[in-house]
Amino acid sequence: MKITKTVKRILDNYESDNPGTKANLARILMAGRLGGTGKMVILPVDQGFEHGPARSFAVNAPAYDPHYHFQLAIDAGLNAYAAPLGMIEAGADTFAGAIPTILKVNSSNSWASGANQALTGSVDDALRLGCSAIGFTIYPGSDDCFELMEEIKEMSAEAKSVGIATVIWSYPRGGKLPKSGELALDVGAYAAHMAALLGAHIIKVKLPSDHVEQEDAKKSYAGTDWSKQSDRVAHVVKACFNGRRLVVFSGGAAKGSDAVYQDARDIRDGGGNGSIIGRNSFQRPRAEALELLDKIVRIYLNKE
Amino acid sequence: MKITKTVKRILDNYESDNPGTKANLARILMAGRLGGTGKMVILPVDQGFEHGPARSFAVNAPAYDPHYHFQLAIDAGLNAYAAPLGMIEAGADTFAGAIPTILKVNSSNSWASGANQALTGSVDDALRLGCSAIGFTIYPGSDDCFELMEEIKEMSAEAKSVGIATVIWSYPRGGKLPKSGELALDVGAYAAHMAALLGAHIIKVKLPSDHVEQEDAKKSYAGTDWSKQSDRVAHVVKACFNGRRLVVFSGGAAKGSDAVYQDARDIRDGGGNGSIIGRNSFQRPRAEALELLDKIVRIYLNKE
Amino acid sequence: MKITKTVKRILDNYESDNPGTKANLARILMAGRLGGTGKMVILPVDQGFEHGPARSFAVNAPAYDPHYHFQLAIDAGLNAYAAPLGMIEAGADTFAGAIPTILKVNSSNSWASGANQALTGSVDDALRLGCSAIGFTIYPGSDDCFELMEEIKEMSAEAKSVGIATVIWSYPRGGKLPKSGELALDVGAYAAHMAALLGAHIIKVKLPSDHVEQEDAKKSYAGTDWSKQSDRVAHVVKACFNGRRLVVFSGGAAKGSDAVYQDARDIRDGGGNGSIIGRNSFQRPRAEALELLDKIVRIYLNKE
Amino acid sequence: MKITKTVKRILDNYESDNPGTKANLARILMAGRLGGTGKMVILPVDQGFEHGPARSFAVNAPAYDPHYHFQLAIDAGLNAYAAPLGMIEAGADTFAGAIPTILKVNSSNSWASGANQALTGSVDDALRLGCSAIGFTIYPGSDDCFELMEEIKEMSAEAKSVGIATVIWSYPRGGKLPKSGELALDVGAYAAHMAALLGAHIIKVKLPSDHVEQEDAKKSYAGTDWSKQSDRVAHVVKACFNGRRLVVFSGGAAKGSDAVYQDARDIRDGGGNGSIIGRNSFQRPRAEALELLDKIVRIYLNKE
Amino acid sequence: MKITKTVKRILDNYESDNPGTKANLARILMAGRLGGTGKMVILPVDQGFEHGPARSFAVNAPAYDPHYHFQLAIDAGLNAYAAPLGMIEAGADTFAGAIPTILKVNSSNSWASGANQALTGSVDDALRLGCSAIGFTIYPGSDDCFELMEEIKEMSAEAKSVGIATVIWSYPRGGKLPKSGELALDVGAYAAHMAALLGAHIIKVKLPSDHVEQEDAKKSYAGTDWSKQSDRVAHVVKACFNGRRLVVFSGGAAKGSDAVYQDARDIRDGGGNGSIIGRNSFQRPRAEALELLDKIVRIYLNKE
């Protein structure tokens, strides 16, 4: 695998990491149709934990099978596939080496009260299953956020020592943060920045709105026009160490294809590193999903 | 022991497991009269912890003796015997190698407040007692469910590393989940799915009713007729990674023999992997219990 | 030391234990005047922790000295002496090998709120002090019972691995259990059974009354006459794996000698394995205590 | 260093301890002008943590310097100097070997709510700083007392294994214990006894009043005249395993010299092992402090 | 690097530390334009965690880039640069050896309730990133202060064993302490003293006001004129073991340059060891920041 200059330049930003961790970042960045471009599209399938199997897969029954998702990600030429322990275990051998995997090591569910998650995987699991990275959710704003931060501090340090990369899902939620502020621009940039401060290699956040939530932050955002989504993306990228850290954006609930494409264009134009698309892909029939993913990949290739 | 093709195909689904763990799964699947068929009947005796000795055994006094249950499971030609630490310790040597055992490593009791269990056994105990698996209860819905999940995450990882299989009892209970929803179809399938995501090799759930409890899930179940129990079993099997994980169903409170037989037929017809029958066997006189178990075994052999 | 057949038969019931643990059980069962009979009388002195020194020892001032109790147990020909860390440390060398000792590893005190105990000793302490067993109190019914169970699970496993036996004091108390139910027959048998399930080698419970406390258990006790104390003892013995585990009964608060003798006879006649007698011995003048203990020993020797 | 017969007899009481721990006890008992007599005067300086620097040292400004206290203890011919981590670190090298030190390993402060302390030192710290003992406070009566007990259980066991002695400050406080009962005779004797049971080598308590606090204990104290302080000291000594454990008494708040001398005489006459005097020494000008300590030492030498 | 006599004298105060730790203290004290003078100016950049990226960096956009701060500290000739994990990781290799770094190992954020911080770095991180010290915040007064103290106890001991120095940020806050008392003279001196007792090598506190908050402390401050800031600095220095520990003062919120200069003069004149200046430097344009830092350095060099 010949690392492109673009990817090499990205890897150079991870200057404190050992070659093992850089190699796993490189595996993700060089995989699939976007390999070498510095852009990524990742398939995450943790909906079963979050919403249950029927809500996640009944609409597209083949998706009940863990192999379906490995194959979808491979066939669509994506950069990586992210899922909880059981889902990865069920296909790790069949698809060994075929696509980089990200082990989601904490998970919530429909009955959870409070904004927290249970640890459901470990760095040792990632190693034995051949994963390139662990994925971990923090909820900035939550009363349990210190606990989540301390968990990822431990796990990320362990991961770095054995050459596994860390992806942090940073989703503002809970505590004194109102529902209306979860997608605010200031809140999203802050969430992304905290993930960077915690040592994440790849940061996953939601696309922010143009609302500014925190009273104390309003002054810092005043006087700038935040109506363009790509500008908001650029602001989040800046909050990730001025672009020294990879940041990908999630698509949220299933929605129309056109909205998904526009999101991808805005991420691209704002300098974001790509999309992480779950429900919008595996909840469509396979052919449609492949078509949608193809178009997204082409957007990141500047062909759409 | 010559592994049948059926069992080999099942073992292949556990593609990330080491040969030690697969060997123990094979021991369970190849034991007894159902050995090699991919079907199982398991005897669990944790009622003493849950309800106390008199409520469990007074009706059939020989059952006060731990050896009684080992012998019953062996004589009935079952696949495995599951019990808490003390019960296994009291017969592990006498019956060493005679029947696969499952060490139940957490337990509740009549005075417990909240839906949680105490850890009462360990993987090291399972190893020194020659057990093939550990058994662990989670209560999806419970306020303590994250704690339970993190406990089984630790224990299951340890078990897998030393070749011990993991059986998860997944019983929705507690928290925001009303009593009326504990047996709901959506809730049961979700509980089974979470056990699979947590890395269970064998999943034990209750037979679900045709009620759908969660508002958000109703759409996914609408338009299908769920009145046949075997269809509901098939749905739970689907929720267990489309059949890539073994799932057995518990019989619940002691009831009439005919109801027990009908349950077994529905499990079989729905593609479930078998029954786990406690009170319905050891609370009958031994001769009756053997007769009942014989008939259940014959159902799974497609002879009834 | 030639192990008697009776003791050998008892040891055979501990079929999963290593020779080290069996040897320590044998030491207790072969010590003193009841050595070899399968019966035991044990001296426990944890009253200082529970009630303070003056309430415990002022009535018989020589008992302030830890050596007093070692000597009393030895001179009375008892099977073992049980006490907390400091008490054992203060005489362990002087009386090394003279009598088996049981290190009480958790303790409560007069100011404790809630039914719980502090860990005050360890298996390592037991080893360095030459103890044959650890002693641990659980409070079935207590809100903290899961915590207590998890503590003894850890300690008992560690003890078994290094050849130390486990004695569980199982005293129903706290939580939803009313004071009036603490001595109930069903509750006591359940408490004894839980100690057995937790892997205790010797179970210590209180002599139960003929009251049945739990609504759900009444059916199981109906139709039998429980007015004879020896029958109630026999029921508790049954609850201890049908007699496969040693069970001794405590005498409770200081009371008249005749009541103490009657208790011993009932324990003997019901198949119990002996008495654990604290305040009723060390709170009398030494001569009287020796006389009382002599008579109790003779009862277990079937000479009274 | 030739150990006197008196000290040898005291060391013999610590019969379960290893030679390393006995050597450190001997160092304390053989140091200073009381060396070899079995009596001790110890200088504790933990007031900075408890009350802050100005309240502790402003009245005698040289005492802001940690070296001041080492030198004061040495020049006064005391047995040991006790202080928290930072204070010991700041002089441990300069005064290495010049006087035995006791590392106070837990500490409270003026803002602490509840009767508890933070762990602020460790056995490893004691070893690297050349200390002879660790000092630890428990608050019998406190809601957190189990936690404190479990902490000292761990630390004391570790200390004993590496030859470090344990001093327990046992100060009744908190929970259901009223302020008025903190100095009660029964409460103080109970507190001293618990420290002994927890395995302390040296027990530090306050001089008790003649009040009896606990309803249940009144009977045990009735009929004896407790008006003489030396009798109360003798009772506490009895509660410390009938004198098998060293017990020293603290002087409390700064007060007149005559009261301090009378206390020392009563401790001596009641068979106590000495005084631990903080504020009453370092809050006076150095010359006065030396004079006061000289007189106290002479009292213990039976010269006053 | 030739250590100056001034620095050697300071290092001698750390008499219990190993050569590794002293070497790292020396690196900080010998770095930059103040190298060898015993004075320090440190750049801390943890505002991103505390207030979010936009509030911290929008006013001076180049500061979004972690390299900006390393370079600013180097170009200004400062003694050290302090920041959380991600910020250090992002420049540790580029600037290896160019300036001593302090890894801030705990952090709060805008949504945190209560006065506590999450652990976000470790001693192992400090080692792998080539840091000279760890930085840790305690909140004296906080309900969580015991927990914070126990965390730094563990981390500081680990750091000392591997030659890493410890800097404690001691900021009174929370619990029973009113907002109005956070900057009080008695409270600030107490906070500094506790940091010293906890074993800090360098203590960071805020410049105190002349208010005395604690009722019990008023007597100790009465009769002295505390209106001069340099006298208050001298009092804090006294509270840090009479000057045996290094103490630096923070500048607080961004304010006018003249106020910053006056603070530095007062710190210098009171015998404090320097300034730690964050927002007042990186929130100005680089040229202005360098000018301000130049003047502060000159003040400590007694040239202003």
Side-chain angles (χ1 to χ4, degrees):
Chain A
M1 185 169 65
K2 177 98 170 28
I3 307 299
T4 62
K5 275 191 185 173
T6 301
V7 168
K8 184 71 178 68
R9 207 170 48 239
I10 291 171
L11 294 179
D12 285 350
N13 283 331
Y14 296 89
E15 54 182 72
S16 70
D17 280 295
N18 64 23
T21 306
K22 286 187 184 176
N24 267 318
L25 277 174
R27 277 179 199 113
I28 295 172
L29 287 164
M30 295 302 297
R33 293 170 59 199
L34 290 169
T37 65
K39 303 295 177 185
M40 293 177 278
V41 177
I42 297 171
L43 174 68
V45 188
D46 50 356
Q47 292 301 319
F49 240 131
E50 307 278 332
H51 296 161
R55 282 177 65 195
S56 302
F57 309 127
V59 69
N60 177 32
Y64 276 111
D65 187 337
H67 283 207
Y68 175 85
H69 304 283
F70 279 92
Q71 200 62 59
L72 177 65
I74 292 166
D75 291 348
L78 305 191
N79 295 71
Y81 166 55
L85 184 70
M87 293 285 274
I88 297 288
E89 285 185 333
D93 191 60
T94 300
F95 299 98
I99 186 165
T101 52
I102 299 167
L103 181 65
K104 187 73 190 346
V105 291
N106 67 350
S107 307
S108 187
N109 64 66
S110 297
W111 291 290
S113 59
N116 201 342
Q117 299 214 339
L119 292 174
T120 55
S122 70
V123 173
D124 280 341
D125 289 325
L127 285 171
R128 73 176 167 88
L129 296 170
C131 302
S132 292
I134 54 167
F136 189 95
T137 297
I138 60 169
Y139 292 128
S142 160
D143 293 334
D144 293 325
C145 195
F146 280 2
E147 178 189 326
L148 289 164
M149 286 177 170
E150 297 188 354
E151 285 168 351
I152 188 55
K153 175 194 81 106
E154 293 291 337
M155 293 186 80
S156 178
E158 185 187 355
K160 284 171 186 172
S161 74
V162 295
I164 297 282
T166 296
V167 186
I168 294 184
W169 274 235
S170 193
Y171 287 177
R173 187 174 305 173
K176 290 177 284 191
L177 183 68
K179 192 78 189 165
S180 61
E182 293 180 0
L183 292 177
L185 176 58
D186 58 324
V187 170
Y190 197 166
H193 188 61
M194 284 205 272
L197 290 172
L198 290 167
H201 297 99
I202 301 177
I203 294 156
K204 181 193 169 197
V205 289
K206 294 189 179 170
L207 281 164
S209 74
D210 63 357
H211 171 58
V212 175
E213 169 68 21
Q214 298 172 290
E215 237 10 87
D216 289 340
K218 288 191 172 158
K219 202 174 56 178
S220 307
Y221 287 92
T224 305
D225 176 6
W226 297 107
S227 63
K228 278 181 64 185
Q229 182 163 261
S230 58
D231 287 343
R232 301 196 296 267
V233 165
H235 177 63
V236 171
V237 168
K238 212 174 243 305
C240 293
F241 294 169
N242 208 27
R244 287 182 187 276
R245 294 293 173 261
L246 292 159
V247 56
V248 295
F249 294 84
S250 63
K255 53 187 173 184
S257 302
D258 287 349
V260 174
Y261 301 147
Q262 188 55 47
D263 283 351
R265 283 193 197 94
D266 291 340
I267 295 165
R268 178 195 65 194
D269 296 346
N273 298 93
S275 299
I276 184 156
I277 298 187
R279 282 171 284 173
N280 275 302
S281 55
F282 68 75
Q283 292 187 345
R284 292 165 205 248
R286 184 177 142 89
E288 284 181 34
L290 286 171
E291 188 187 325
L292 177 134
L293 291 169
D294 171 66
K295 182 140 180 185
I296 291 171
V297 164
R298 290 175 55 84
I299 288 169
Y300 283 112
L301 290 170
N302 293 306
K303 296 183 175 166
E304 297 268 351
Chain B
M1 185 170 68
K2 176 94 170 31
I3 306 299
T4 61
K5 276 192 183 170
T6 301
V7 168
K8 186 70 178 67
R9 208 170 48 237
I10 291 171
L11 295 179
D12 286 349
N13 283 332
Y14 296 89
E15 55 183 71
S16 70
D17 280 296
N18 63 24
T21 306
K22 286 188 183 177
N24 267 319
L25 278 174
R27 278 180 197 111
I28 294 171
L29 288 164
M30 294 304 297
R33 293 169 60 199
L34 290 169
T37 64
K39 302 295 176 184
M40 294 178 278
V41 177
I42 297 171
L43 175 68
V45 187
D46 51 356
Q47 292 301 319
F49 240 132
E50 306 278 332
H51 296 161
R55 281 176 67 195
S56 302
F57 309 127
V59 70
N60 177 33
Y64 276 110
D65 187 336
H67 283 206
Y68 176 86
H69 304 282
F70 280 92
Q71 200 63 59
L72 178 65
I74 292 165
D75 291 349
L78 305 191
N79 294 71
Y81 166 55
L85 185 71
M87 294 285 274
I88 298 287
E89 286 185 332
D93 191 58
T94 301
F95 300 98
I99 185 166
T101 52
I102 300 166
L103 182 65
K104 189 72 192 343
V105 292
N106 67 351
S107 306
S108 187
N109 64 66
S110 296
W111 290 291
S113 59
N116 200 343
Q117 300 213 339
L119 291 175
T120 55
S122 69
V123 173
D124 279 342
D125 288 324
L127 285 171
R128 73 177 167 88
L129 296 170
C131 302
S132 292
I134 53 167
F136 189 94
T137 297
I138 60 170
Y139 292 127
S142 161
D143 293 334
D144 293 325
C145 197
F146 280 2
E147 178 189 325
L148 288 164
M149 285 176 171
E150 295 188 354
E151 285 168 351
I152 188 56
K153 175 195 81 108
E154 293 289 337
M155 294 188 78
S156 179
E158 185 188 353
K160 285 171 186 173
S161 73
V162 294
I164 298 283
T166 296
V167 186
I168 294 184
W169 273 235
S170 192
Y171 287 178
R173 185 174 306 174
K176 290 178 283 191
L177 182 68
K179 191 81 190 163
S180 61
E182 292 180 0
L183 292 178
L185 177 57
D186 57 324
V187 170
Y190 196 166
H193 187 62
M194 284 205 271
L197 289 172
L198 289 166
H201 297 100
I202 301 176
I203 294 157
K204 181 194 169 195
V205 289
K206 294 189 181 172
L207 282 163
S209 73
D210 63 357
H211 171 58
V212 175
E213 170 67 22
Q214 299 173 289
E215 238 8 87
D216 288 340
K218 285 192 173 157
K219 201 175 57 179
S220 305
Y221 287 91
T224 305
D225 175 6
W226 296 107
S227 63
K228 277 181 65 185
Q229 181 163 261
S230 59
D231 287 344
R232 301 195 297 267
V233 165
H235 177 64
V236 171
V237 168
K238 212 173 242 306
C240 293
F241 293 168
N242 209 26
R244 288 183 185 274
R245 293 293 173 260
L246 291 159
V247 56
V248 296
F249 294 83
S250 63
K255 54 187 173 183
S257 303
D258 287 349
V260 174
Y261 301 146
Q262 188 55 48
D263 282 353
R265 282 193 197 93
D266 290 340
I267 295 164
R268 177 195 65 194
D269 296 346
N273 298 93
S275 299
I276 184 157
I277 298 187
R279 282 172 285 174
N280 276 301
S281 55
F282 69 75
Q283 291 188 344
R284 293 165 203 247
R286 184 176 141 89
E288 285 182 32
L290 287 171
E291 190 187 324
L292 178 133
L293 291 168
D294 171 67
K295 183 138 179 186
I296 292 171
V297 165
R298 291 176 54 84
I299 288 169
Y300 283 111
L301 290 170
N302 293 308
K303 297 182 175 169
E304 295 270 350
Chain C
M1 186 168 68
K2 175 97 171 32
I3 307 299
T4 61
K5 276 193 182 168
T6 301
V7 168
K8 185 70 179 67
R9 209 170 47 238
I10 291 171
L11 293 179
D12 286 350
N13 283 332
Y14 296 90
E15 55 183 71
S16 70
D17 280 294
N18 64 23
T21 306
K22 285 187 182 177
N24 267 319
L25 277 174
R27 279 180 197 112
I28 294 171
L29 288 164
M30 294 303 298
R33 293 169 60 199
L34 290 169
T37 65
K39 302 294 176 184
M40 293 177 278
V41 177
I42 297 171
L43 175 67
V45 188
D46 50 357
Q47 292 300 319
F49 240 131
E50 306 279 331
H51 296 160
R55 282 176 67 193
S56 301
F57 308 128
V59 69
N60 178 33
Y64 277 110
D65 187 336
H67 283 207
Y68 176 86
H69 304 284
F70 279 93
Q71 200 62 58
L72 178 65
I74 292 165
D75 292 348
L78 305 191
N79 296 70
Y81 167 55
L85 184 71
M87 293 285 274
I88 298 287
E89 286 185 331
D93 191 59
T94 301
F95 300 98
I99 185 165
T101 52
I102 299 165
L103 182 65
K104 189 73 194 338
V105 292
N106 66 350
S107 307
S108 188
N109 64 66
S110 295
W111 291 291
S113 59
N116 201 341
Q117 300 214 338
L119 291 176
T120 56
S122 69
V123 173
D124 280 341
D125 289 324
L127 286 171
R128 73 176 166 89
L129 296 170
C131 302
S132 292
I134 53 167
F136 188 95
T137 297
I138 60 170
Y139 292 127
S142 160
D143 292 335
D144 294 325
C145 197
F146 281 1
E147 177 189 328
L148 289 165
M149 285 177 170
E150 295 187 356
E151 286 168 351
I152 188 55
K153 176 196 80 108
E154 293 290 337
M155 293 188 78
S156 179
E158 183 187 356
K160 284 172 186 173
S161 74
V162 296
I164 298 282
T166 296
V167 185
I168 294 184
W169 273 235
S170 193
Y171 287 178
R173 187 174 306 172
K176 290 177 283 191
L177 182 68
K179 191 81 190 163
S180 61
E182 292 180 0
L183 292 177
L185 177 57
D186 58 322
V187 170
Y190 196 165
H193 188 62
M194 284 205 273
L197 289 172
L198 290 166
H201 298 102
I202 302 178
I203 294 156
K204 181 192 169 196
V205 288
K206 294 189 180 170
L207 282 163
S209 73
D210 63 355
H211 172 59
V212 175
E213 170 67 23
Q214 298 173 288
E215 241 4 271
D216 289 340
K218 286 191 172 156
K219 201 175 58 180
S220 305
Y221 287 91
T224 306
D225 176 7
W226 296 107
S227 62
K228 280 181 64 184
Q229 182 163 262
S230 58
D231 287 345
R232 301 196 297 267
V233 165
H235 177 64
V236 171
V237 168
K238 214 174 239 309
C240 293
F241 294 168
N242 209 27
R244 288 183 185 274
R245 293 293 173 261
L246 291 159
V247 57
V248 297
F249 294 83
S250 63
K255 53 187 173 183
S257 304
D258 287 350
V260 175
Y261 301 146
Q262 190 55 46
D263 283 353
R265 282 192 198 94
D266 290 341
I267 295 164
R268 177 195 65 194
D269 296 346
N273 297 93
S275 299
I276 185 155
I277 299 187
R279 282 173 284 174
N280 276 300
S281 55
F282 69 74
Q283 291 189 343
R284 291 164 204 249
R286 184 176 141 91
E288 283 182 34
L290 286 171
E291 190 187 324
L292 178 133
L293 291 168
D294 171 66
K295 184 140 179 184
I296 291 171
V297 164
R298 290 174 56 82
I299 288 169
Y300 282 113
L301 290 170
N302 292 307
K303 296 182 176 169
E304 296 272 350
Chain D
M1 186 167 67
K2 176 101 170 32
I3 307 300
T4 61
K5 275 191 183 172
T6 301
V7 169
K8 185 71 177 70
R9 210 170 46 237
I10 290 170
L11 294 179
D12 285 350
N13 282 332
Y14 297 89
E15 55 182 72
S16 69
D17 279 296
N18 65 22
T21 306
K22 286 187 182 177
N24 267 319
L25 277 174
R27 278 180 199 113
I28 295 172
L29 287 164
M30 295 303 298
R33 291 169 61 199
L34 290 170
T37 65
K39 301 295 176 185
M40 294 178 277
V41 177
I42 297 170
L43 175 67
V45 188
D46 51 355
Q47 291 301 318
F49 240 133
E50 306 279 331
H51 296 160
R55 283 176 66 194
S56 302
F57 308 128
V59 70
N60 178 34
Y64 277 111
D65 187 337
H67 283 207
Y68 175 87
H69 304 283
F70 279 92
Q71 200 62 58
L72 178 66
I74 292 166
D75 291 348
L78 305 191
N79 295 72
Y81 166 56
L85 184 71
M87 293 286 273
I88 298 288
E89 285 185 332
D93 191 59
T94 300
F95 301 98
I99 186 165
T101 52
I102 299 166
L103 181 66
K104 189 71 194 343
V105 292
N106 66 350
S107 306
S108 188
N109 65 65
S110 296
W111 291 290
S113 59
N116 201 341
Q117 300 214 339
L119 291 174
T120 56
S122 70
V123 172
D124 280 341
D125 289 324
L127 286 171
R128 73 177 167 89
L129 297 169
C131 302
S132 291
I134 54 167
F136 189 94
T137 297
I138 60 170
Y139 292 128
S142 160
D143 293 335
D144 294 325
C145 197
F146 281 1
E147 178 189 326
L148 288 165
M149 286 177 170
E150 295 187 355
E151 285 168 351
I152 188 55
K153 176 196 80 108
E154 293 290 337
M155 293 187 80
S156 179
E158 184 187 354
K160 284 171 186 172
S161 74
V162 295
I164 298 282
T166 297
V167 186
I168 295 184
W169 273 236
S170 192
Y171 286 178
R173 187 175 304 172
K176 290 177 285 191
L177 183 67
K179 192 79 188 164
S180 61
E182 293 180 0
L183 292 177
L185 177 57
D186 58 322
V187 170
Y190 196 165
H193 187 62
M194 283 205 273
L197 290 171
L198 290 166
H201 297 101
I202 302 178
I203 294 155
K204 181 192 169 197
V205 289
K206 295 190 179 170
L207 282 164
S209 73
D210 63 357
H211 172 57
V212 175
E213 171 67 22
Q214 299 172 287
E215 242 2 273
D216 290 340
K218 286 191 174 158
K219 202 174 59 179
S220 305
Y221 287 91
T224 305
D225 177 6
W226 297 106
S227 62
K228 280 181 62 186
Q229 181 162 263
S230 59
D231 287 344
R232 301 196 296 268
V233 165
H235 177 63
V236 171
V237 169
K238 214 175 240 307
C240 293
F241 294 169
N242 208 28
R244 287 181 185 275
R245 294 292 174 261
L246 291 159
V247 57
V248 296
F249 294 83
S250 64
K255 55 185 171 184
S257 304
D258 288 349
V260 174
Y261 301 146
Q262 190 54 47
D263 283 354
R265 283 193 196 93
D266 290 341
I267 295 165
R268 177 196 65 195
D269 296 346
N273 298 93
S275 297
I276 184 156
I277 298 188
R279 283 171 284 173
N280 275 300
S281 54
F282 68 74
Q283 292 189 343
R284 291 165 204 249
R286 183 176 141 91
E288 283 182 36
L290 286 171
E291 191 187 323
L292 178 134
L293 291 169
D294 172 65
K295 185 140 178 183
I296 291 171
V297 163
R298 290 175 56 83
I299 287 169
Y300 282 113
L301 290 170
N302 291 306
K303 295 181 177 169
E304 296 270 350
Chain E
M1 186 168 64
K2 175 102 170 26
I3 306 298
T4 62
K5 275 191 185 173
T6 301
V7 168
K8 184 72 179 66
R9 209 169 47 239
I10 290 170
L11 294 179
D12 286 350
N13 282 331
Y14 296 88
E15 54 182 72
S16 69
D17 279 296
N18 64 24
T21 306
K22 286 187 182 176
N24 267 320
L25 278 174
R27 276 178 200 115
I28 294 171
L29 288 164
M30 294 303 298
R33 293 171 58 201
L34 291 169
T37 65
K39 302 295 175 187
M40 295 177 277
V41 176
I42 296 170
L43 174 68
V45 188
D46 51 355
Q47 292 301 319
F49 240 132
E50 306 279 331
H51 296 161
R55 282 177 66 196
S56 302
F57 308 127
V59 69
N60 178 31
Y64 277 112
D65 186 335
H67 283 208
Y68 175 85
H69 304 283
F70 279 92
Q71 199 64 57
L72 177 66
I74 291 165
D75 291 347
L78 305 192
N79 296 72
Y81 166 54
L85 184 70
M87 293 286 273
I88 298 288
E89 286 185 332
D93 191 58
T94 300
F95 300 97
I99 185 164
T101 52
I102 299 168
L103 181 66
K104 188 72 191 350
V105 292
N106 66 350
S107 307
S108 188
N109 64 65
S110 295
W111 291 289
S113 58
N116 202 341
Q117 299 214 341
L119 292 174
T120 56
S122 70
V123 173
D124 280 342
D125 289 324
L127 286 171
R128 72 177 168 87
L129 296 170
C131 302
S132 292
I134 53 167
F136 189 95
T137 296
I138 61 169
Y139 292 127
S142 160
D143 293 335
D144 293 325
C145 196
F146 280 3
E147 178 189 326
L148 289 165
M149 286 177 170
E150 296 188 354
E151 285 168 352
I152 188 54
K153 177 195 79 108
E154 293 289 337
M155 293 187 80
S156 178
E158 184 187 355
K160 284 171 187 173
S161 74
V162 295
I164 298 282
T166 296
V167 186
I168 294 184
W169 274 236
S170 192
Y171 286 178
R173 189 175 304 173
K176 289 177 285 189
L177 182 68
K179 191 80 188 165
S180 61
E182 291 180 1
L183 292 177
L185 177 57
D186 59 322
V187 170
Y190 197 165
H193 187 62
M194 283 205 274
L197 290 172
L198 290 166
H201 297 100
I202 302 177
I203 294 155
K204 181 192 169 198
V205 289
K206 295 189 179 170
L207 281 164
S209 74
D210 63 357
H211 171 57
V212 175
E213 169 69 20
Q214 298 173 289
E215 239 6 89
D216 289 340
K218 287 191 173 157
K219 202 174 56 179
S220 306
Y221 286 91
T224 305
D225 176 7
W226 296 106
S227 62
K228 279 182 62 187
Q229 182 162 262
S230 58
D231 287 344
R232 301 196 295 268
V233 165
H235 176 64
V236 171
V237 168
K238 213 173 242 306
C240 293
F241 293 170
N242 208 28
R244 287 182 186 276
R245 293 292 173 263
L246 293 160
V247 56
V248 296
F249 294 84
S250 64
K255 53 186 172 185
S257 303
D258 287 348
V260 173
Y261 301 147
Q262 189 54 47
D263 282 354
R265 285 194 196 92
D266 290 340
I267 294 164
R268 178 196 65 193
D269 296 346
N273 299 94
S275 298
I276 184 157
I277 298 188
R279 282 172 284 173
N280 276 300
S281 54
F282 68 75
Q283 292 188 344
R284 291 166 204 249
R286 184 176 141 90
E288 284 182 35
L290 286 171
E291 190 187 323
L292 178 133
L293 291 169
D294 172 65
K295 183 139 179 185
I296 291 171
V297 164
R298 290 174 56 83
I299 288 170
Y300 283 112
L301 289 170
N302 292 306
K303 296 182 176 166
E304 298 269 350

